[in-house]
Amino acid sequence: MQRVGKPRIRPWLSLLTIGILILAASLPATGAPPAGAPAELKVGFVDFFSGAAATFGISGKNTAEWLVDKWNKEGGIRGVKVKLVMVDEAGGPDKQVTEFRRLVLDEKVEAVVGYTSSANCLAVAPVAEELKVLTVIHICGTHRLTEDRQIKYVFRTSNSQAADSVMAARYVLAMKPNVKTIAGANEDYAWGRDSWEAFRIAIQRLKPDVKVVAELWTKIQAGEYSAEISKLLAAKPDVIHSSFWGGGLITFVKQGAPRGLLKDSLVFFSTGEQALQDLKKDMPDGVIVAPRATSGYFLHPDPDRNPLQKEFVQGLKARFDRYPDYPAHRTYQALAGLKAAFEKAIDQGGGRWPKNEDVIKAFEGLTWQTPYGLITMRPDHQVVHDGAVGLTKFNAKYGFPTLERLVAVRAAEIMPPVGMKTLDWVAALKK
């Protein structure tokens, strides 16, 4: 782990290069679109726009709208403007499969980007393969997406949940090396089950005498956690792991904090960074939170030293009055990856507009720029990138807690290599 005491100062030449790239990108494209190009590129975007998870999904929607508007003002993708077709992810896997088919067969989109829920991404992935549609998963966490079946048309542009869990285990042991007992409070589906399993295996691998004193499961976005909070208070674990997210996480904190739950135990929330702007003073100091294992955070890298990060942070804040959280960063890297894959495919095709298979070929091994650095798509259609984790502390300047004692974690420390099953890798972790 790399402690981030002060923002890293990049070489002045890199700053100049990034600044030139932004200036160049802000200029409208000139010249005719590629031969065979459509009038516009239709892309489906799917995230939660209603219900308890909307507080989470709206960040992605805002980012998609801001980024595509920016690109279209600059000339789109080599002169072809992008049109987003928005779909609400609420309603469950069966509804999402129906919506996916509608996007492809009725709306005629050329690609689909999105899916926060692990249940939904696992449901649509086989359909994407059946219909042969390029599908970019931006947030869905379960490692099963890229390990349970052979995929050709599906790509994931962010770390799996294993990165969150391994990063948490290492951070917890660094903070509390004498931890003896742990407990989990998670949702009863792929995301919650896989997150807890990887965390439990990781921390017991790194410290074999750690014992589990409670494993609690709730419905997705249950909204009522009194019974689980009582059980956790009675179990008195040294550490609590939770992957609650969106409105469910906000409610859990508001119900648990007044009863002392977040003070009596050291608590880790893998998605906690996303809720800080909503929770404000309801989130106590000293809670471990992460933007999952995402290296992007609105204060890291320092926007004043990174022009692309500064443009993103200021752009979203000015338009939506909210700083980018990790769903926003992961949406950015998904859409930026799609755009870069199309541009690479155009170049490889001698300037002609690419077919679906050409874009897929270009995506494999592709490296592209995000506000927090370069990321690369592996041959197994899984991106790996660095992560970050820290402790909450209320920040009067912003009116909500920010991350203190921020630690940046290298991708190789938190994600398995190509070809290795996630849980096998976690079970063989080394200190």
Side-chain angles (χ1 to χ4, degrees):
M1 290 186 176
Q2 175 189 358
R3 177 73 178 273
V4 183
K6 292 181 179 180
R8 186 171 53 184
I9 300 176
R10 296 175 181 276
W12 69 269
L13 186 58
S14 297
L15 292 176
L16 180 60
T17 302
I18 293 173
I20 291 172
L21 289 173
I22 292 175
L23 177 61
S26 67
L27 298 175
T30 58
E40 60 185 10
L41 177 66
K42 292 184 73 173
V43 176
F45 182 79
V46 187
D47 212 325
F48 288 95
F49 308 148
S50 63
T55 181
F56 195 93
I58 292 299
S59 287
K61 179 174 182 288
N62 290 347
T63 299
E65 291 176 344
W66 176 83
L67 194 57
V68 168
D69 285 351
K70 173 177 126 61
W71 287 343
N72 286 340
K73 288 177 183 176
E74 298 165 357
I77 298 178
R78 300 288 171 84
V80 177
K81 292 192 175 182
V82 179
K83 180 181 179 180
L84 292 173
V85 181
M86 296 287 186
V87 171
D88 188 351
E89 195 177 339
D94 290 344
K95 178 174 181 290
Q96 290 312 309
V97 168
T98 301
E99 289 285 4
F100 188 92
R101 291 186 182 278
R102 183 184 65 79
L103 280 172
V104 176
L105 301 176
D106 297 340
E107 295 284 355
K108 308 293 185 186
V109 300
E110 292 198 40
V112 179
V113 177
Y115 299 104
T116 284
S117 163
S118 291
N120 290 338
C121 78
L122 290 176
V124 302
V127 186
E129 296 295 318
E130 172 196 335
L131 298 179
K132 300 181 179 179
V133 176
L134 175 58
T135 302
V136 183
I137 304 296
H138 69 335
I139 292 174
C140 149
T142 177
H143 62 267
R144 302 180 199 176
L145 177 69
T146 56
E147 294 184 8
D148 280 6
R149 63 177 59 82
Q150 190 71 30
I151 51 177
K152 177 180 179 181
Y153 296 91
V154 177
F155 293 79
R156 174 158 52 195
T157 51
S158 58
N159 286 335
S160 74
Q161 102 290 331
D164 318 336
S165 300
V166 173
M167 181 179 68
R170 293 191 183 281
Y171 193 82
V172 163
L173 291 174
M175 282 199 60
K176 200 177 183 72
N178 294 322
V179 58
K180 296 291 186 184
T181 57
I182 59 172
N186 295 279
E187 294 178 333
D188 191 9
Y189 75 115
W191 161 248
R193 292 274 178 182
D194 293 346
S195 294
W196 166 249
E197 184 176 25
F199 175 76
R200 176 184 57 77
I201 294 173
I203 200 165
Q204 290 184 321
R205 168 68 181 176
L206 298 171
K207 192 171 187 300
D209 64 337
V210 170
K211 298 185 182 305
V212 176
V213 295
E215 290 182 312
L216 306 177
W217 307 103
T218 72
K219 295 180 180 177
I220 300 175
Q221 303 293 330
E224 170 53 51
Y225 303 97
S226 297
E228 287 78 17
I229 292 167
S230 295
K231 291 176 181 176
L232 290 169
L233 288 169
K236 301 182 184 302
D238 293 333
V239 173
I240 297 173
H241 167 281
S242 179
S243 59
F244 288 156
W245 58 283
L249 171 59
I250 291 171
T251 303
F252 182 76
V253 172
K254 288 185 175 181
Q255 292 177 356
R259 297 177 63 182
L261 181 68
L262 280 66
K263 292 291 187 183
D264 293 349
S265 299
L266 181 62
V267 180
F268 167 73
F269 292 120
S270 60
T271 75
E273 177 264 353
Q274 193 278 325
L276 297 180
Q277 294 180 67
D278 300 299
L279 283 165
K280 300 182 173 63
K281 290 187 176 180
D282 288 328
M283 176 67 89
D285 291 349
V287 178
I288 306 174
V289 299
R292 292 201 38 210
T294 309
S295 57
Y297 167 58
F298 83 102
L299 294 174
H300 176 73
D302 185 352
D304 289 336
R305 291 175 169 82
N306 185 310
L308 198 59
Q309 167 85 325
K310 183 175 184 178
E311 178 193 43
F312 183 40
V313 171
Q314 292 186 346
L316 253 64
K317 177 62 176 173
R319 180 163 167 178
F320 302 106
D321 194 27
R322 186 180 176 93
Y323 293 102
D325 48 26
Y326 91 82
H329 277 93
R330 290 195 172 198
T331 299
Y332 189 116
Q333 63 198 49
L335 286 167
L338 181 70
K339 180 173 184 283
F342 266 91
E343 291 172 340
K344 180 181 175 183
I346 292 169
D347 292 339
Q348 290 179 334
R352 291 189 59 83
W353 188 256
K355 297 179 180 177
N356 200 14
E357 303 291 331
D358 300 326
V359 181
I360 288 169
K361 182 180 178 182
F363 221 150
E364 294 176 346
L366 177 71
T367 297
W368 69 96
Q369 186 72 50
T370 73
Y372 39 91
L374 297 170
I375 60 176
T376 299
M377 178 64 68
R378 300 192 315 193
D380 59 351
H381 294 200
Q382 171 67 60
V383 153
V384 295
H385 50 70
D386 295 349
V389 59
L391 285 177
T392 56
K393 185 173 179 58
F394 184 77
N395 190 322
K397 176 181 177 181
Y398 296 103
F400 59 87
T402 53
L403 273 59
E404 304 293 324
R405 298 178 64 178
L406 186 71
V407 169
V409 187
R410 293 178 301 168
E413 296 180 82
I414 52 178
M415 283 290 286
V418 176
M420 191 165 188
K421 295 287 187 181
T422 290
L423 295 183
D424 292 341
W425 176 76
V426 175
L429 282 177
K430 296 180 180 178
K431 293 182 179 178

